[in-house]
């Protein structure tokens, strides 16, 4: 273990209690910020040159040493874990001093860890947001490919978990694409707010260094510098916003998982999940359990916990920096792991499942999922909707009594309830026409689905090359 410098030893007469030291240190978590801490430090050294705290020679020496350190950590990102530094900021400074001596001690001039930590964390978040946008595109792409091969696969659509109206497997896939598209948009929107740099806010009231903070911000890839230093070092809205987007997206993944668990169940068997993403029982040899999907559903709860944690950590926190804020990174990092892994696993489960088309179709025929068509038929013939609904309900009851499908009832039975019924009612009740009737925007008709598939493929393609 390296013994590192403390950043704040001067006014203390006694050494910290080791238990407290352990409790206080955050290196084991925030080491993941190392790249961004170094990049921020390089930019900060340029600001110190601008305000003449460093000479050009000093700035270059610091920059070169930091670049060497960056290379070292990119080869070994856990390099710092055997040091006893308090956090990643202390570690980088300690390494710099080790490399270039006393000059390294100038780097922290006019800067505080309060602005530094939020700056590094914002840079880290920005990078992960771009990665997540790509992850979300990938799952949408997998879903659109599945919808292309299943656009003719008819299955029941449910409300209250009761068969409601026939839909297609493709249509189900397209519904989830919409959700993931919204998650992607939410992440893009959040970039607008995260894109300002707190560096140069100092401890809470700004820096004495006369620097152009906007220039500094842009050097690190931010759009601008933050407006108020007191707010800048207190603000973790971007963490809350990120975790709330994660929670919404995990909710989508959890519902997708729940649907697939149901589709894969022995009672329904609309799909068969691949052996690659299921596991067996230690006791019952026949079992093949949808563990991957159950875990996504379970881990969604953990992500919600992270969102609640950060909200509670911040609630009632006085301005500006308080050590409570150090707890932001643990919840953020673990959520990113869960979210990215869940997206990947869900994508692979979708890619490898087998659709059991016959079971889907057979089930769509059951449950009188075409009863609404009967209502529409009567309405088209001029009957008021309420009356049409009542008559159709009576006919469903009759079919239930006879234990047959609506389309198996004799025409005289239809006529018994309304003389508007003609033989063309059988065409209307046909399952394919049930689907094709919903042909306005957003409907399940084959043409609408094909149109949506085309639009989604185009937009995914264009957003990939943009
Ligand atoms: N490790 C700290 C964190 O993650 C860095 C900021 C420390 N600032 C301070 N005033 N103690 O929040």
């Amino acid at each position: 273990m390296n013994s590192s410098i403390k950043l704040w030893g001067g006014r203390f007469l006694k050494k910290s209690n080791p238990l407290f030291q352990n409790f206080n240190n955050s290196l084991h978590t925030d080491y993941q910020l190392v790249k961004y801490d170094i990049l921020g430090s390089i930019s900060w050294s340029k600001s110190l040159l601008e305000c003449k705290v460093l000479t050009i020679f000093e700035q270059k020496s610091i920059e070169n040493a930091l670049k060497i350190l960056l290379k070292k950590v990119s080869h070994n990102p856990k390099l710092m874990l055997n040091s006893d530094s308090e956090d990643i900021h202390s570690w980088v400074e300690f390494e710099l001093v080790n490399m270039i001596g006393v000059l390294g001690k100038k780097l922290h001039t006019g800067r505080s860890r309060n602005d530094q930590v939020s700056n590094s964390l914002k840079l880290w978040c920005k990078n992960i947001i771009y990665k997540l946008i790509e992850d979300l595109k990938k799952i949408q792409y997998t879903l659109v490919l599945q919808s292309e091969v299943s656009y003719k696969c008819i299955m029941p659509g449910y409300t209250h978990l009761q068969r409601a109206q026939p839909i297609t497997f493709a249509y189900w896939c397209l519904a989830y694409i919409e959700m993931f598209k919204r998650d992607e948009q939410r992440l893009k929107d959040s970039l607008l707010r995260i894109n300002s740099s707190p560096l140069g806010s100092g401890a809470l009231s700004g820096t004495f260094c006369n620097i152009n903070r906007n220039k500094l911000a842009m050097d690190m890839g931010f759009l601008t510098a933050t407006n108020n230093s007191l707010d800048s070092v207190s603000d973790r809205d971007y963490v809350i916003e990120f975790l709330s987007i994660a929670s919404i997206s995990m909710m989508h993944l959890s519902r997708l998982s729940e649907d697939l668990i149901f589709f894969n169940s022995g009672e329904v068997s609309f799909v068969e999940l691949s052996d690659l993403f299921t596991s067996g029982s230690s006791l019952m040899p026949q079992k093949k359990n949808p563990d991957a999907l159950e875990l996504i559903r379970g881990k969604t709860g953990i992500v919600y916990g992270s969102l609640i944690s950060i909200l509670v950590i911040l609630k009632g926190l006085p301005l500006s920096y308080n050590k409570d804020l150090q707890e932001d990174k643990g919840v953020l990092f673990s959520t990113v792991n869960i979210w990215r892994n869940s997206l990947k696993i869900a994508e692979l489960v979708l890619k490898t499942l087998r659709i059991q088309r016959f079971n889907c179709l057979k089930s769509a025929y059951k449950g009188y999922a075409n009863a609404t068509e009967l209502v529409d038929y009567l309405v088209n013939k001029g009957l008021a909707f309420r009356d049409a609904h009542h008559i159709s309900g009576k006919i469903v009851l009759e079919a239930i009594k006879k234990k047959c499908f609506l389309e198996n009832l004799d025409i005289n039975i239809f006529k018994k309830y309304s003389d508007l019924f003609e033989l063309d009612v059988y065409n209307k009740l046909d399952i394919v026409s049930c689907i094709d009737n919903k042909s306005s925007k957003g409907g399940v008709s084959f043409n609408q689905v094909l149109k949506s598939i085309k639009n989604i493929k185009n937009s995914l393609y264009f957003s990939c090359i943009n």
Side-chain angles (χ1 to χ4, degrees), residues 26 30 87 89 113-114 117 236 321 323 325-326 329:
S26 56
D30 60 24
D87 57 22
H89 323 293
R113 278 184 298 164
N114 300 355
V117 66
R236 292 296 183 276
Y321 181 85
K323 202 57 176 267
L325 291 175
Q326 183 164 280
K329 286 169 279 303

Side-chain angles (χ1 to χ4, degrees), residues 196-212:
S196 58
S197 161
L199 201 58
S201 296
L204 75 164
S205 61
T207 179
F208 76 90
C209 300
N210 190 16
I211 55 164
N212 181 340

Side-chain angles (χ1 to χ4, degrees), residues 4-47:
S4 59
I5 42 163
K6 262 214 167 91
L7 299 180
W8 40 263
R11 64 105 58 222
F12 289 80
L13 296 176
K14 291 185 188 161
K15 273 177 73 182
S16 325
N17 175 297
L19 204 62
F20 163 68
Q21 229 177 47
N22 232 350
F23 195 61
N24 192 37
N25 289 1
S26 56
L27 185 66
H28 49 90
T29 308
D30 60 24
Y31 75 93
Q32 298 181 58
L33 298 179
V34 66
K35 177 176 166 195
Y36 304 102
D37 206 69
I38 295 176
L39 290 175
S41 294
I42 292 175
S43 295
W44 182 246
S45 73
K46 293 180 195 162
S47 293

